Amino acid sequence: DTGVSQDPRHKITKRGQNVTFRCDPISEHNRLYWYRQTLGQGPEFLTYFQNEAQLEKSRLLSDRFSAERPKGSFSTLEIQRTEQGDSAMYLCASSLLGATNIQYFGAGTRLSVL
Amino acid sequence: KQEVTQIPAALSVPEGENLVLNCSFTDSAIYNLQWFRQDPGKGLTSLLLIQSSQREQTSGRLNASLDKSSGRSTLYIAASQPGDSATYLCAVQAPYYNQGGKLIFGQGTELSVKP
């Protein structure tokens, strides 16, 4: 068990391009969360999955954002037609629904939109 | 809607001082409260987790307390060291039965410990 992995660690893109991030959770964890953190702020919830089902999406997740967890394992977060306001750190966390439900975080993907 | 506030936003102390970071939340219906550390440009490291039925947790030089009825938590750091310099984030976990257990974070306290 190597913890939660996120790829890439850094992404620089031009405005209008599409980007996709990947998150590999801890292997037995059935819940997966995405958060976004802008400079100087705490992370904000975007969406979460239980197994392959996406159960909640924040209002922060505009139509340009889509997340999937096709086989209940890894997850992808895609941003279409990126805007400068999308520049942020995107954090993924996973947990095992149970007694403590502790979320373990990955190192994040830092997106810069030029 | 749950809101989490951290005071102060930034704190600078000389090495060796004891210090207290504050966190307040508006809705006492929480599953647990967690304190995280974040180094610049990095992810989150969990420091302490307090279940809603608990009053405090301790780990080494760190002690976190929780008063759910008043919506407050404190993180006490004893004998601070330059290596403690980081941003400290407080997060409450929403109930699982109707809010999916998502974390709601404060804005963080940026701590600088001077040698």
Side-chain angles (χ1 to χ4, degrees):
Chain A
D1 178 5
T2 57
V4 179
S5 299
Q6 292 189 246
D7 184 70
R9 293 292 310 278
H10 304 275
K11 179 70 177 179
I12 300 174
T13 191
K14 293 183 179 179
R15 189 175 51 186
Q17 298 295 305
N18 299 342
V19 295
T20 300
F21 311 140
R22 176 179 171 124
C23 172
D24 287 89
I26 294 171
S27 58
E28 68 270 22
H29 283 185
N30 50 12
R31 285 212 168 175
L32 187 148
Y33 298 81
W34 285 98
Y35 296 86
R36 180 173 73 184
Q37 184 179 25
T38 54
L39 204 59
Q41 300 297 314
E44 295 175 289
F45 169 78
L46 291 179
T47 187
Y48 87 95
F49 294 83
Q50 181 162 316
N51 300 313
E52 66 275 9
Q54 187 174 19
L55 297 185
E56 185 178 349
K57 294 192 291 186
S58 162
R59 287 174 297 174
L60 294 175
L61 218 62
S62 75
D63 292 344
R64 297 184 297 105
F65 288 71
S66 63
E68 294 182 343
R69 194 182 183 198
K71 296 183 180 179
S73 57
F74 72 92
S75 175
T76 58
L77 178 67
E78 181 183 15
I79 309 174
Q80 296 182 328
R81 305 181 303 281
T82 52
E83 302 173 355
Q84 288 186 326
D86 297 331
S87 296
M89 173 80 89
Y90 290 83
L91 294 162
C92 175
S94 71
S95 70
L96 182 62
L97 187 61
T100 59
N101 300 300
I102 296 174
Q103 292 183 27
Y104 296 85
F105 280 81
T109 294
R110 178 165 295 284
L111 173 67
S112 297
V113 182
L114 305 178
Chain B
K1 177 191 170 189
Q2 177 74 270
E3 293 183 358
V4 180
T5 303
Q6 290 187 246
I7 295 173
L11 182 62
S12 181
V13 299
E15 181 177 3
E17 272 205 7
N18 302 327
L19 57 100
V20 175
L21 307 182
N22 296 291
C23 172
S24 61
F25 48 96
T26 55
D27 186 347
S28 62
I30 63 171
Y31 192 73
N32 60 44
L33 183 143
Q34 202 164 355
W35 284 92
F36 292 89
R37 170 184 172 137
Q38 186 173 35
D39 292 292
K42 306 293 186 183
L44 306 181
T45 300
S46 179
L47 297 174
L48 290 165
L49 181 145
I50 311 176
Q51 299 290 351
S52 62
S53 58
Q54 297 176 321
R55 298 284 294 185
E56 67 177 333
Q57 282 287 335
T58 298
S59 176
R61 295 183 293 109
L62 305 180
N63 175 274
S65 68
L66 173 63
D67 184 342
K68 206 171 69 160
S69 61
S70 68
R72 295 174 189 270
S73 176
T74 60
L75 178 66
Y76 175 82
I77 302 177
S80 58
Q81 303 170 358
D84 295 331
S85 298
T87 296
Y88 290 80
L89 292 157
C90 165
V92 298
Q93 186 163 36
Y96 270 76
Y97 52 84
N98 64 355
Q99 295 183 51
K102 59 180 175 282
L103 297 177
I104 299 110
F105 287 84
Q107 313 94 308
T109 293
E110 186 176 356
L111 174 65
S112 176
V113 181
K114 306 294 187 185

